[in-house]
Amino acid sequence: MTSADRYDVVVAGGGPAGSATGAFLALAGRRVLVVEREPFPRFHVGESLLPATLPILDRLGVHKAIAERGFQVKYGATFHDQESGLEHTFYFLRDKPWPSYAYQVPRAEFDALLLEHAKKLGVDVRQPATVQAVAFDADGVTVTAESHGQRTPVRARFLVDATGRAGLLSQTVGERERIPNLGKVAIFAHWQGAWRAPAPDEGNIRIYVFEHGWFWWIPLAADRTSVGCVMHARTVHDWGGMRDALYAEMIRRCQRVAEGLAGARQVTAVHSEANFSYRNRPVVGDRFLVVGDAIAFVDPIFSGGVHIALQSGELAARSIDRALADGRFDARRFADYERRVWGGLHPFFRFIHKYYEPAFLELFLQPRTAFGMLDAVLSVLSGGAFLRMSWRTRASLAILFSIARVNVWVRRRAGQPVASRLEW
Ligand SMILES: Cc1cc2nc3c(=O)[nH]c(=O)nc-3n(C[C@H](O)[C@H](O)[C@H](O)COP(=O)(O)OP(=O)(O)OC[C@H]3O[C@@H](n4cnc5c(N)ncnc54)[C@H](O)[C@@H]3O)c2cc1C
């Protein structure tokens, strides 16, 4: 083997999707290089994990190390609507193939731990190094990575794009489709000494819906809390002032958040993210495949991002390992991967779109156990619907969405608002 043929796979991006893809491939005995632009640990948004993620961490062999870190455990998600006063806590169920809890993780620590684990499994990591260019040919791919001003070509048989929202391939050979909701902006920071719910709810993610959007309230270990506001575009457009002042103003307008932060101290700068709703193409091609946020992202309301990143990474590694085994890398053989990923994303996307409709939110906050509806909602909220959805869950969700359609009619007759807030 020449040095030009060194790797089976180069993975661009060392976030959860890249680390998982690399680690699963290493477990299958493949030679992998992960190229990560940022030095770790680095701040990243997306701190609330889902229960169905934990079995993936088990399969990666990293769950024990994560459990030993003492991350905050969460047993559920509490939603509150300021306008109607409705509130509901969804507790993850016990009789599922995934546990009834998950973790709230500072991503700087979590992402570093995953990448470190990949290294222990034999993955080479080049960091900080940025993938600048990729060139495919009949025998493989040449990846040009730049580090400290020096550009180095690396040769591999296959490329994985795990570059998150940067979307390396969509920005170079493909396209990015913006999807409605595009105007939403998130602003967030960490706090020390914020309010804690009594046990067992102290670790729950809390979602506070109010006129201008919604807040996430994610309790982290060591008395830290991540507090972020996802605002409608119109709220941001109407605001002429600075970002920090907008954050403070949103806190003031959301009563539960203002009360919970009374006496707390902001301990990080205010960060922001905008334009986070898109669908990228292509997802697969001759000698490449895309994982995690580099495929698509819509909205963080149901905390699905890290789960999607890890699950797509595992599925990708399986497909690539098979392709490496028989030496065929044409796009068609990855069609099944693409189908499974879009199939897994579908329930999240459907729920996100529905969540912004007042008629659905009203039902969501008063869930019914009839026809298995609560169980079906919990399957999606746990991340368990990504890999497979039983016909029973599908049927229950169909009933729920039908009732929501009837509720639109009921609300309209009662003169209550029905317009979706998705594109506000
Ligand atoms: C406002 C907001 C709130 C969110 N909240 C949650 C939440 O509570 N729970 C949840 O699960 N998810 C949440 N998410 C989503 C979550 O952040 C992402 O889905 C998740 O980080 C995706 O992982 P990834 O590995 O695909 O991408 P990333 O984690 O973004 O990793 C991509 C990596 O690629 C690197 N990179 C980029 N370009 C290059 C290049 N050219 N060369 C080399 N490296 C490169 C980057 O430095 C980065 O480290 C939220 C997202 C937003 C916008």
Side-chain angles (χ1 to χ4, degrees):
M1 184 184 69
T2 66
S3 62
D5 277 320
R6 254 199 89 201
Y7 291 101
D8 289 321
V9 182
V10 170
V11 180
S19 290
T21 313
F24 277 119
L25 281 165
L27 283 168
R30 302 300 177 183
R31 290 160 300 144
V32 186
L33 172 71
V34 170
V35 181
E36 167 55 48
R37 186 170 64 182
E38 308 276 342
F40 280 9
R42 53 98 176 87
F43 187 89
H44 199 295
V45 72
E47 296 144 326
S48 197
L49 304 189
L50 299 183
T53 306
L54 274 45
I56 308 175
L57 300 175
D58 281 327
R59 292 194 287 276
L60 274 172
V62 71
H63 191 174
K64 187 165 173 280
I66 285 169
E68 283 169 2
R69 280 299 170 101
F71 292 128
Q72 177 67 54
V73 170
K74 73 166 184 182
Y75 295 104
T78 302
F79 290 77
H80 175 262
D81 179 22
Q82 180 160 296
E83 201 176 299
S84 62
L86 291 172
E87 174 168 324
H88 187 77
T89 298
F90 295 89
Y91 293 102
F92 302 125
L93 297 174
R94 288 177 184 279
D95 57 344
K96 297 288 163 195
W98 47 86
S100 58
Y101 66 93
Y103 301 106
Q104 314 280 29
V105 298
R107 286 286 302 279
E109 216 180 311
F110 180 75
D111 289 13
L113 205 151
L114 283 185
L115 192 55
E116 207 45 49
H117 181 69
K119 267 191 218 170
K120 281 187 196 145
L121 295 175
V123 171
D124 284 349
V125 176
R126 210 164 284 181
Q127 183 184 28
T130 304
V131 172
Q132 296 278 4
V134 293
F136 295 95
D137 55 56
D139 300 320
V141 53
T142 303
V143 178
T144 306
E146 195 204 294
S147 185
H148 304 294
Q150 213 161 4
R151 289 163 76 97
T152 323
V154 183
R155 192 76 186 146
R157 295 164 78 193
F158 200 86
L159 174 82
V160 174
D161 178 359
T163 54
R165 288 180 52 199
L168 177 73
L169 289 176
S170 70
Q171 300 302 298
T172 49
V173 298
E175 58 185 351
R176 170 165 294 187
E177 178 199 343
R178 296 285 181 197
I179 32 189
N181 166 20
L182 125 100
K184 299 225 186 295
V185 174
I187 39 177
F188 42 96
H190 282 181
W191 296 73
Q192 197 77 32
W195 172 80
R196 285 280 146 133
D201 294 337
E202 73 272 35
N204 288 3
I205 182 170
R206 295 176 171 269
I207 303 291
Y208 296 119
V209 182
F210 73 129
E211 189 191 343
H212 305 284
W214 57 273
F215 268 92
W216 74 73
W217 178 283
I218 300 176
L220 301 166
D223 202 23
R224 272 204 175 206
T225 306
S226 168
V227 179
C229 184
V230 176
M231 292 166 297
H232 302 310
R234 57 171 69 169
T235 306
V236 183
H237 289 156
D238 292 348
W239 180 259
M242 303 292 285
R243 190 179 63 180
D244 289 25
L246 176 57
Y247 183 59
E249 179 59 17
M250 290 301 112
I251 290 172
R252 196 185 66 74
R253 292 186 195 180
C254 188
Q255 201 184 340
R256 287 283 177 97
V257 175
E259 285 167 6
L261 289 179
R265 189 165 52 90
Q266 189 183 318
V267 291
T268 64
V270 175
H271 297 263
S272 67
E273 296 280 352
N275 296 335
F276 41 72
S277 303
Y278 57 84
R279 215 176 268 133
N280 287 339
R281 304 255 174 214
V283 175
V284 301
D286 294 350
R287 291 190 183 273
F288 73 82
L289 178 158
V290 183
V291 291
D293 267 15
I295 303 172
F297 191 74
V298 183
D299 189 282
I301 179 68
F302 295 121
S303 309
V306 171
H307 182 70
I308 293 162
L310 294 176
Q311 190 58 83
S312 59
E314 182 177 31
L315 292 174
R318 230 177 272 162
S319 287
I320 298 165
D321 183 46
R322 278 197 297 265
L324 288 165
D326 54 36
R328 284 195 305 108
F329 301 98
D330 52 295
R332 263 173 313 165
R333 69 167 304 146
F334 304 110
D336 184 53
Y337 166 76
E338 177 164 13
R339 191 184 51 73
R340 292 195 74 181
V341 166
W342 288 126
L345 288 170
H346 179 72
F348 276 114
F349 286 11
R350 183 102 197 262
F351 256 70
I352 288 164
H353 280 81
K354 284 284 172 193
Y355 160 84
Y356 283 99
E357 290 176 13
F360 180 79
L361 185 66
E362 192 178 8
L363 293 176
F364 182 74
L365 294 175
Q366 303 171 89
R368 303 166 199 205
T369 49
F371 305 113
M373 282 187 288
L374 179 59
D375 202 279
V377 167
L378 280 162
S379 276
V380 176
L381 293 189
S382 302
F386 189 100
L387 275 189
R388 67 189 67 83
M389 222 204 281
S390 66
W391 66 265
R392 198 187 286 269
T393 301
R394 279 176 214 280
S396 302
L397 290 179
I399 294 170
L400 175 65
F401 293 137
S402 302
I403 297 175
R405 277 194 292 277
V406 174
N407 201 31
V408 171
W409 181 80
V410 172
R411 284 179 67 97
R412 195 172 280 136
R413 277 186 65 108
Q416 293 175 305
V418 292
S420 170
R421 298 163 185 162
L422 187 72
E423 293 175 59
W424 273 21

